[in-house]
Amino acid sequence: MTKLIEEIFSSFSTVIKGLAGGIKDAFGNLIYVDPAATDPTFSPVVLFLFTMLGLGLATGILYKIFGLIKRRG
């Protein structure tokens, strides 16, 4: 019975390690064009998300500034 329990837990740890490695590789490939390169560059998806985040932040700041000006005037 102990051999069976040991086998179950060793298989479980192997599966978890493989799953964690797969998720790490997937995010690495999503963020970088070639994660194994010496000088990795961002993928177009990440550049698009950074650009949209920046535009949204700039729009929010301008909206807040114009709201403050409108309240004072």
Side-chain angles (χ1 to χ4, degrees), residues 4-50:
L4 177 65
I5 293 172
E6 288 176 5
E7 186 66 33
I8 289 171
F9 280 111
S10 70
S11 298
F12 186 69
S13 70
T14 304
V15 168
I16 293 297
K17 286 178 186 176
L19 187 62
I23 290 172
K24 178 185 170 193
D25 291 343
F27 276 111
N29 288 330
L30 182 67
I31 294 172
Y32 298 112
V33 174
D34 184 16
T38 56
D39 186 25
T41 57
F42 287 120
S43 71
V45 172
V46 171
L47 293 177
F48 174 76
L49 291 176
F50 283 160

